[in-house]
Amino acid sequence: MTIHVERLRDDACLIVHGPDQPGIVSAVSALITRNRGNIVSLDQYTDDPQGGGFFQRVVFHRADLSAAIPELEADVAATLGPLGLSWRLTDRSVPKRMAVLASTSDHCLLELLWRHRRGELPVTIPMVISNHTNVAEDVRAFGIPFFHVPSQGPDKSDAEARILELVKGNVDFLVLARYMQIISEDFLDEVDVPVINIHHSFLPAFIGAAPYRKAKERGVKLIGATSHYVTKVLDEGPIIEQDVARVDHSMSAAGLQARGAYVERAVLSRAVQWHAEDRVIRNGNQTVVFTDRP
Amino acid sequence: MTIHVERLRDDACLIVHGPDQPGIVSAVSALITRNRGNIVSLDQYTDDPQGGGFFQRVVFHRADLSAAIPELEADVAATLGPLGLSWRLTDRSVPKRMAVLASTSDHCLLELLWRHRRGELPVTIPMVISNHTNVAEDVRAFGIPFFHVPSQGPDKSDAEARILELVKGNVDFLVLARYMQIISEDFLDEVDVPVINIHHSFLPAFIGAAPYRKAKERGVKLIGATSHYVTKVLDEGPIIEQDVARVDHSMSAAGLQARGAYVERAVLSRAVQWHAEDRVIRNGNQTVVFTDRP
Amino acid sequence: MTIHVERLRDDACLIVHGPDQPGIVSAVSALITRNRGNIVSLDQYTDDPQGGGFFQRVVFHRADLSAAIPELEADVAATLGPLGLSWRLTDRSVPKRMAVLASTSDHCLLELLWRHRRGELPVTIPMVISNHTNVAEDVRAFGIPFFHVPSQGPDKSDAEARILELVKGNVDFLVLARYMQIISEDFLDEVDVPVINIHHSFLPAFIGAAPYRKAKERGVKLIGATSHYVTKVLDEGPIIEQDVARVDHSMSAAGLQARGAYVERAVLSRAVQWHAEDRVIRNGNQTVVFTDRP
Amino acid sequence: MTIHVERLRDDACLIVHGPDQPGIVSAVSALITRNRGNIVSLDQYTDDPQGGGFFQRVVFHRADLSAAIPELEADVAATLGPLGLSWRLTDRSVPKRMAVLASTSDHCLLELLWRHRRGELPVTIPMVISNHTNVAEDVRAFGIPFFHVPSQGPDKSDAEARILELVKGNVDFLVLARYMQIISEDFLDEVDVPVINIHHSFLPAFIGAAPYRKAKERGVKLIGATSHYVTKVLDEGPIIEQDVARVDHSMSAAGLQARGAYVERAVLSRAVQWHAEDRVIRNGNQTVVFTDRP
């Protein structure tokens, strides 16, 4: 649910994953207790009780957290390392830095900026980048820097290089808010942070361009949107969130697109929030999402 | 909504479709008025105001309907024929005859039989046919004839021939309630009535076998079901209805299947009801559905 | 669905209601045909086939509509008057003028302004009025006039008088976008245009103040929002639209409110759109809504 | 999700609640580990980090569980007793015994019997009791004992006494599947097991009799159903689950009732499943539900 950063002082989030084995939950909770933390919430999942993967998210409160992080990390490493488990410890009062890439469509972008202004997204937004200029004024009205990086012609390498200059080292993840440009493998390798996309269909239906037109042609009765991590295969990355809306024969492809915009902005917002709150753990080409959504 | 056949005495349904042109609605309503009918509901749709197709469904009340049908039909033919329009006039108090084909799964089958017993489906069910026997007792407990037509081995022609003997001339449409057998083109040609299928995915995602396993592998966050008319291309027929349910990483493929069963039975039931109530008009590989569903 | 005003040139909407009787649909469609209109869509409803009320909405295309309106109105009056029917004829290319009253909350207000800017609401917005100033900058960024009318203390008559000066003669309907002030009977009498409110609960549950707190105390598993016409009895006016969102035990009253904001903005937007498109007909303390929503 | 009892061998469920304090999660997980259990899932909730209530549900696997239960219980008591915490330990392979009370409506009853037959409800059903006989044949077709206990006239004490004779000592909880009789305080005191009801409205809207008629009169756009524990105040007990369905002006009160039946059976089924799986913890007049539902 809504996360106001000010309420998160001294809250830590520990993500653990790796091979399942007896006693992990106990080891983690003992670790937190002996470091004077108090568990606020705990989610845990094993994908196969017999030799499967183990995934855990624990939020705990610990007075003077920021000072204690080094010793906490040392204890986590000493405890979980021998078990072959990966882990990540974050101070929840430190927001992630998110860059948004947009194109001409404003609905996903503005929804993110507005939710951020309401204090519902635990991120900072150091920049919005677009290959068009029409959203510049809206973005700057939110007090957020806007950069125009044109992307014309088939060769996107100049544009990608310019984007890399802007984001490299400055952001913790990227969001493609209907960016409408295919990201190269080289860019993904270079940028080396998670990239979240919103695709305007219910994947794996209607992969690629013009999904609303394809949906109209197929005569579907629901349209959808999918938010996923970007990988090197188009529209095939791990899915974070999906949703649908009911449509009928009377709606044109443009009508589907207009209705779909409301699904897209909701789905992307939830995916971004869950990523920012460390609720999403990648598991191969799938995701484990410890959602707050009832 | 719920249709009790007893309430439908003297109610007629007129379906009209063909090339759009000015004055059709007026011509049809004048026709009904001069035949002493009173319009109860009217749905109308034009897929393109410029030279598109016209689709209309009118329900009207007319005292002594069954006696008046011949002259009504003559007037409709004289009025709509010159405009190049197709039409179909039905007496709503005459239920359609529906055969159900099932396999081992009972959830879609039992839902249809139960809704029928509640008076919510305006059909008669002269028979249920299955290639297994496990549902026989349940079917007969509803007072409905059950026929076992085994379907083993790759050659389905004997089974299809036996089914044709049972249904030919005896039913107005067929429902495949998780029948799990591919219907041959020859069968479709021979049976010559609409065949409605339920596919256990959100088409066009996961066409073909084992959609829940594929859904698990792809890591989708919603599963779905699709009811469509069967055509000669597998899972490609005109879609009547679709719906979805939310799932998460913790559910196995078997878990998706168990949850999906509830979506399947609801989607198929709605599709069957709308078909039985003449609410569905085929438009190429799409459907126009004048649904009663708010 | 989405209505772009530019597409509505020469489109008329005729609303008819009154005592049901045979032949109304026929009379209306003949009227449209003889005035060279072509019916685009037609919705019709009778609340009781035996002596009930009749409700109809017809959209039709008629070349040179604005010039033809006087003669159309004369023909409608001559045709429907003798049948005791009320009617309303509108040129769909003439948007309704909508004033929005807001308080400190921005979510419903901004959603309306944003949908309007996208061309999805067929209205003009001559003014936004608030008893606070925090939304002024956002409103003016949309190019819309903002007026601050403070409303302090128990006596609201000065504030209401000032609002009346602003809106009287200048608007076709008012929207209370979380205005949070009770409107007096005198104001309703004076303003004499429809007033649409959004109440932050699923009416008739949690009438009055602090519905999210009451919802938390009662332990409900869904929260809701209701848009209705304002009448002289608080929260008792005819309901236009409602929706809900799932919640659970872990959410505080503030959490319910944060999630509810998304329901409120969606419900109010749909109600406003349907009102602006003449899809809502009041029927005593209920509404007939010929929704475009599948 | 779907629970097949055979899969639950050696699975235990431990429910803990009471005053929150640091270290409970750690103490519980250490306890499970030292008793050679392996945590399968863990849900935990604190309603107020400052001195609030603590609620936990842990499922763990322990070889030879049934033999180990006495020593497990002793350790739990020794560990949690000093902390002032209540607890309940159950062997998940031992299904709860559920009696169903019904009246003439069959939809909620049959849905429970059918889900039970599919292996989705971890219960046994030693009896169905009705004050009518129309469902007797259906119930017995499922192999479940049926008892007819007429309930006529204003004095229900004879009927309640007869029901008490049947259920006392024989069941772990009662389900009122549209039983339509008000349960007396004396009966609740005597029966001394949880009683789950389904109310055919979205509580707290439309408390008491005839909610669909009231919903029609109020002109709501959604109808709902609520499952709750029965307490001494009518329709005021702790809510377990709620859901809604969309309706419109065209539906009569009977139509709302017909559509509502599908909401009722789904809501009651989920509430029963969650209760049977020890997912519901009462918290005053609210519930904490550690749902499996994404």
Side-chain angles (χ1 to χ4, degrees):
Chain A
M1 246 301 307
T2 307
I3 298 298
H4 292 280
V5 171
E6 60 270 35
R7 296 198 208 132
L8 302 178
R9 179 185 301 277
D10 290 337
D11 263 12
C13 181
L14 175 64
I15 301 293
V16 179
H17 61 113
D20 193 22
Q21 52 206 289
I24 305 179
V25 174
S26 179
V28 168
S29 51
L31 181 156
I32 291 167
T33 300
R34 76 174 166 258
N35 282 278
R36 281 175 292 137
N38 192 23
I39 292 176
V40 173
S41 79
L42 188 156
D43 290 288
Q44 175 266 346
Y45 167 64
T46 304
D47 63 4
D48 185 347
Q50 309 302 327
F54 173 87
F55 303 85
Q56 190 180 37
R57 177 183 187 267
V58 198
V59 173
F60 59 96
H61 192 82
R62 205 284 191 189
D64 299 319
L65 176 67
S66 59
I69 280 204
E71 61 190 283
L72 262 167
E73 291 190 329
D75 198 353
V76 173
T79 306
L80 301 184
L83 304 176
L85 296 163
S86 303
W87 57 274
R88 186 168 76 241
L89 181 71
T90 52
D91 180 337
R92 298 185 77 213
S93 67
V94 179
K96 289 189 169 48
R97 300 164 300 162
M98 168 177 89
V100 186
L101 272 66
S103 187
T104 54
S105 292
D106 63 0
H107 56 282
C108 287
L109 170 65
L110 292 183
E111 183 74 7
L112 290 173
L113 300 188
W114 180 75
R115 291 190 185 214
H116 177 251
R117 189 174 75 176
R118 284 170 74 82
E120 297 186 359
L121 291 180
V123 298
T124 57
I125 308 180
M127 65 189 77
V128 169
I129 300 167
S130 175
N131 56 342
H132 292 269
T133 57
N134 61 306
V135 296
E137 195 175 345
D138 278 335
V139 170
R140 289 174 178 147
F142 280 94
I144 291 171
F146 172 86
F147 300 100
H148 178 221
V149 179
S151 172
Q152 278 147 354
D155 183 359
K156 309 296 184 194
S157 55
D158 282 0
E160 290 195 343
R162 175 72 182 120
I163 296 171
L164 273 175
E165 286 174 11
L166 288 165
V167 302
K168 192 76 181 175
N170 292 325
V171 306
D172 297 308
F173 69 110
L174 284 184
V175 175
L176 309 183
R178 297 295 307 274
Y179 179 54
M180 309 303 282
Q181 303 287 323
I182 294 175
I183 302 293
S184 74
E185 292 192 24
D186 286 348
F187 181 89
L188 287 177
D189 285 338
E190 283 286 332
V191 74
D192 201 26
V193 294
V195 180
I196 296 175
N197 186 41
I198 177 75
H199 184 73
H200 38 316
S201 82
F202 183 85
L203 289 176
F206 310 128
I207 287 174
Y212 290 120
R213 183 173 55 68
K214 293 172 186 164
K216 177 67 185 171
E217 288 166 3
R218 182 61 188 92
V220 291
K221 301 301 185 187
L222 297 168
I223 53 167
T226 303
S227 187
H228 62 94
Y229 290 114
V230 176
T231 59
K232 296 178 181 183
V233 185
L234 181 67
D235 297 337
E236 293 283 4
I239 293 170
I240 306 171
E241 172 64 338
Q242 303 187 286
D243 212 341
V244 295
R246 184 163 280 270
V247 297
D248 75 7
H249 58 267
S250 71
M251 298 167 74
S252 63
L256 300 186
Q257 181 175 336
R259 178 151 303 174
Y262 295 96
V263 185
E264 295 165 24
R265 70 175 185 175
V267 165
L268 180 61
S269 295
R270 291 201 292 264
V272 165
Q273 178 155 358
W274 295 338
H275 176 82
E277 294 175 8
D278 287 307
R279 296 179 179 280
V280 190
I281 309 176
R282 289 172 71 154
N283 181 18
N285 205 46
Q286 302 173 17
T287 60
V288 171
V289 184
F290 292 126
T291 168
D292 65 334
R293 197 170 180 242
Chain B
M1 245 300 308
T2 308
I3 297 298
H4 292 280
V5 170
E6 60 271 33
R7 297 197 207 132
L8 301 178
R9 179 184 301 278
D10 291 338
D11 263 12
C13 181
L14 176 63
I15 300 294
V16 178
H17 61 113
D20 191 23
Q21 51 206 290
I24 305 179
V25 174
S26 179
V28 168
S29 52
L31 182 156
I32 290 168
T33 300
R34 76 173 166 257
N35 283 278
R36 282 174 291 138
N38 192 24
I39 292 175
V40 173
S41 78
L42 189 156
D43 289 289
Q44 174 267 347
Y45 167 65
T46 304
D47 63 3
D48 184 347
Q50 309 301 327
F54 174 87
F55 304 84
Q56 190 180 38
R57 178 183 187 266
V58 199
V59 173
F60 59 95
H61 192 81
R62 204 287 192 188
D64 299 319
L65 175 68
S66 61
I69 281 205
E71 61 190 283
L72 263 167
E73 292 192 325
D75 198 354
V76 173
T79 306
L80 301 184
L83 303 175
L85 295 163
S86 304
W87 55 273
R88 186 168 76 241
L89 181 72
T90 52
D91 180 338
R92 299 186 77 213
S93 67
V94 179
K96 288 188 169 50
R97 299 164 302 164
M98 169 177 89
V100 185
L101 273 67
S103 188
T104 53
S105 293
D106 63 0
H107 57 283
C108 288
L109 170 65
L110 292 183
E111 183 75 7
L112 290 173
L113 300 188
W114 181 74
R115 291 190 185 214
H116 177 250
R117 188 174 77 175
R118 284 170 73 83
E120 296 186 0
L121 290 180
V123 298
T124 58
I125 308 179
M127 67 190 75
V128 169
I129 300 168
S130 175
N131 55 343
H132 293 270
T133 55
N134 62 307
V135 296
E137 195 175 345
D138 277 336
V139 170
R140 288 176 178 146
F142 279 94
I144 291 171
F146 172 86
F147 299 102
H148 178 221
V149 178
S151 172
Q152 280 147 352
D155 182 358
K156 309 296 183 193
S157 55
D158 282 359
E160 291 195 342
R162 175 72 181 120
I163 296 171
L164 273 174
E165 285 174 11
L166 287 165
V167 302
K168 192 76 181 176
N170 291 326
V171 306
D172 297 307
F173 68 109
L174 284 185
V175 175
L176 309 183
R178 296 296 307 274
Y179 179 54
M180 308 302 283
Q181 302 289 323
I182 294 175
I183 303 293
S184 74
E185 293 191 23
D186 285 349
F187 181 88
L188 286 178
D189 285 338
E190 283 286 332
V191 74
D192 201 26
V193 293
V195 180
I196 295 174
N197 186 41
I198 178 74
H199 184 73
H200 38 317
S201 82
F202 182 84
L203 289 176
F206 309 128
I207 287 174
Y212 291 120
R213 183 174 55 69
K214 293 173 187 165
K216 178 66 184 172
E217 288 166 3
R218 183 61 188 92
V220 290
K221 301 301 185 186
L222 298 168
I223 54 166
T226 304
S227 186
H228 62 93
Y229 290 114
V230 176
T231 59
K232 297 178 181 182
V233 186
L234 181 67
D235 298 337
E236 293 283 6
I239 293 170
I240 306 171
E241 173 63 339
Q242 302 186 287
D243 213 340
V244 294
R246 184 164 280 271
V247 297
D248 74 8
H249 58 266
S250 71
M251 299 166 74
S252 64
L256 301 186
Q257 181 174 335
R259 179 152 301 175
Y262 296 94
V263 185
E264 295 166 24
R265 70 175 186 175
V267 166
L268 180 61
S269 294
R270 291 201 292 265
V272 165
Q273 178 155 358
W274 295 339
H275 176 82
E277 294 174 8
D278 287 309
R279 295 179 179 279
V280 190
I281 309 177
R282 289 171 69 154
N283 181 20
N285 205 46
Q286 301 173 17
T287 59
V288 171
V289 184
F290 292 125
T291 168
D292 65 333
R293 199 172 178 239
Chain C
M1 246 303 306
T2 308
I3 297 299
H4 292 279
V5 170
E6 60 271 34
R7 296 198 208 133
L8 302 178
R9 178 186 301 279
D10 292 336
D11 264 13
C13 181
L14 176 63
I15 300 294
V16 178
H17 61 113
D20 192 23
Q21 52 205 289
I24 307 179
V25 174
S26 179
V28 169
S29 53
L31 182 156
I32 291 168
T33 300
R34 76 174 166 257
N35 282 277
R36 282 175 291 137
N38 192 23
I39 292 176
V40 173
S41 78
L42 188 156
D43 290 289
Q44 175 267 346
Y45 168 63
T46 304
D47 62 4
D48 185 348
Q50 309 302 325
F54 173 87
F55 303 84
Q56 191 181 35
R57 178 183 187 267
V58 199
V59 172
F60 60 95
H61 192 81
R62 204 288 191 187
D64 299 320
L65 175 68
S66 61
I69 280 207
E71 62 189 283
L72 263 167
E73 292 192 326
D75 198 355
V76 173
T79 305
L80 300 184
L83 303 176
L85 296 163
S86 304
W87 57 273
R88 187 168 75 240
L89 181 72
T90 52
D91 180 338
R92 298 186 77 212
S93 68
V94 179
K96 289 189 170 48
R97 301 164 301 164
M98 169 177 88
V100 185
L101 273 67
S103 189
T104 53
S105 292
D106 65 358
H107 56 282
C108 287
L109 170 65
L110 291 183
E111 182 74 7
L112 291 173
L113 301 187
W114 181 72
R115 291 191 184 213
H116 176 252
R117 188 173 76 174
R118 285 170 73 83
E120 296 186 0
L121 290 180
V123 298
T124 57
I125 308 180
M127 66 189 76
V128 169
I129 300 168
S130 175
N131 55 341
H132 293 270
T133 56
N134 62 306
V135 296
E137 195 175 345
D138 278 335
V139 170
R140 288 175 178 146
F142 280 93
I144 292 171
F146 173 85
F147 299 101
H148 178 222
V149 178
S151 173
Q152 280 146 352
D155 183 359
K156 309 296 184 194
S157 54
D158 282 0
E160 290 195 343
R162 175 71 182 119
I163 296 171
L164 272 175
E165 284 174 12
L166 288 165
V167 302
K168 192 77 181 177
N170 291 326
V171 305
D172 296 308
F173 70 109
L174 285 185
V175 175
L176 309 183
R178 297 297 307 275
Y179 179 53
M180 308 303 283
Q181 301 289 322
I182 294 175
I183 302 293
S184 74
E185 292 193 23
D186 286 350
F187 180 88
L188 286 177
D189 285 338
E190 282 287 332
V191 74
D192 201 26
V193 294
V195 180
I196 296 174
N197 186 41
I198 178 74
H199 183 72
H200 39 316
S201 82
F202 183 85
L203 290 176
F206 309 128
I207 287 175
Y212 290 119
R213 183 175 53 71
K214 293 172 186 165
K216 177 65 184 172
E217 288 167 3
R218 182 61 188 92
V220 291
K221 300 302 184 185
L222 297 168
I223 54 166
T226 304
S227 187
H228 62 93
Y229 289 114
V230 176
T231 59
K232 297 178 180 183
V233 186
L234 180 68
D235 296 338
E236 292 283 6
I239 293 170
I240 305 171
E241 173 64 339
Q242 303 187 287
D243 213 340
V244 295
R246 185 164 279 271
V247 297
D248 74 8
H249 58 267
S250 71
M251 299 166 73
S252 63
L256 300 186
Q257 180 174 336
R259 179 152 301 174
Y262 295 94
V263 185
E264 296 165 25
R265 70 176 186 175
V267 165
L268 180 61
S269 295
R270 292 202 291 264
V272 165
Q273 178 155 358
W274 294 340
H275 175 83
E277 294 175 9
D278 287 309
R279 295 179 179 278
V280 189
I281 309 177
R282 289 171 70 154
N283 181 19
N285 204 47
Q286 301 173 18
T287 59
V288 171
V289 183
F290 292 125
T291 168
D292 64 335
R293 197 173 181 238
Chain D
M1 246 301 306
T2 307
I3 297 297
H4 293 279
V5 170
E6 59 271 34
R7 296 198 207 131
L8 302 178
R9 179 185 302 278
D10 290 336
D11 263 13
C13 180
L14 175 63
I15 300 294
V16 178
H17 61 114
D20 192 23
Q21 52 207 289
I24 306 179
V25 174
S26 179
V28 169
S29 51
L31 181 156
I32 291 168
T33 300
R34 75 174 166 257
N35 283 277
R36 282 174 291 137
N38 193 22
I39 292 176
V40 173
S41 77
L42 188 157
D43 290 289
Q44 175 265 346
Y45 167 64
T46 304
D47 62 5
D48 185 348
Q50 309 301 326
F54 174 87
F55 304 84
Q56 190 181 37
R57 177 183 186 267
V58 197
V59 173
F60 60 95
H61 192 81
R62 204 286 189 190
D64 299 319
L65 176 69
S66 59
I69 280 205
E71 61 190 282
L72 262 167
E73 291 191 326
D75 198 354
V76 173
T79 306
L80 302 185
L83 303 175
L85 296 163
S86 304
W87 56 273
R88 187 168 74 241
L89 181 72
T90 52
D91 180 337
R92 297 186 79 213
S93 68
V94 179
K96 288 188 170 50
R97 302 163 299 163
M98 168 177 89
V100 185
L101 273 66
S103 188
T104 53
S105 292
D106 65 358
H107 57 283
C108 287
L109 170 64
L110 292 183
E111 183 74 6
L112 290 173
L113 300 188
W114 181 75
R115 291 191 184 213
H116 177 251
R117 189 173 75 175
R118 285 170 73 83
E120 296 186 0
L121 290 180
V123 298
T124 57
I125 308 181
M127 66 189 76
V128 169
I129 300 168
S130 175
N131 56 342
H132 293 271
T133 56
N134 62 305
V135 297
E137 196 175 344
D138 278 336
V139 170
R140 289 174 178 147
F142 280 94
I144 291 171
F146 173 86
F147 299 101
H148 178 221
V149 179
S151 174
Q152 279 147 354
D155 183 359
K156 309 295 184 195
S157 55
D158 282 1
E160 290 196 342
R162 176 73 182 121
I163 295 171
L164 273 175
E165 286 174 11
L166 288 165
V167 302
K168 191 76 181 177
N170 291 326
V171 306
D172 297 308
F173 68 110
L174 286 184
V175 176
L176 310 184
R178 295 297 306 275
Y179 179 54
M180 309 302 283
Q181 302 287 323
I182 294 175
I183 302 293
S184 73
E185 293 192 24
D186 285 348
F187 181 89
L188 287 177
D189 284 338
E190 283 285 334
V191 74
D192 202 26
V193 293
V195 180
I196 295 174
N197 186 42
I198 178 74
H199 183 73
H200 38 317
S201 82
F202 182 85
L203 289 176
F206 310 128
I207 287 175
Y212 291 120
R213 183 173 55 69
K214 293 172 186 164
K216 178 65 184 173
E217 288 166 3
R218 183 60 188 91
V220 291
K221 301 302 185 186
L222 297 169
I223 53 166
T226 303
S227 187
H228 62 94
Y229 289 114
V230 176
T231 59
K232 297 179 180 182
V233 186
L234 181 68
D235 297 338
E236 293 283 5
I239 293 170
I240 306 170
E241 173 63 338
Q242 302 186 287
D243 212 341
V244 295
R246 184 163 279 272
V247 298
D248 74 7
H249 57 267
S250 72
M251 299 167 73
S252 63
L256 300 187
Q257 181 174 336
R259 179 151 302 174
Y262 295 95
V263 185
E264 295 165 25
R265 69 175 186 176
V267 166
L268 180 61
S269 296
R270 291 201 292 264
V272 165
Q273 178 155 359
W274 294 339
H275 175 82
E277 294 174 10
D278 287 309
R279 294 179 179 278
V280 189
I281 309 177
R282 288 171 72 154
N283 181 20
N285 204 47
Q286 302 174 18
T287 60
V288 171
V289 184
F290 292 125
T291 168
D292 66 333
R293 198 173 178 238

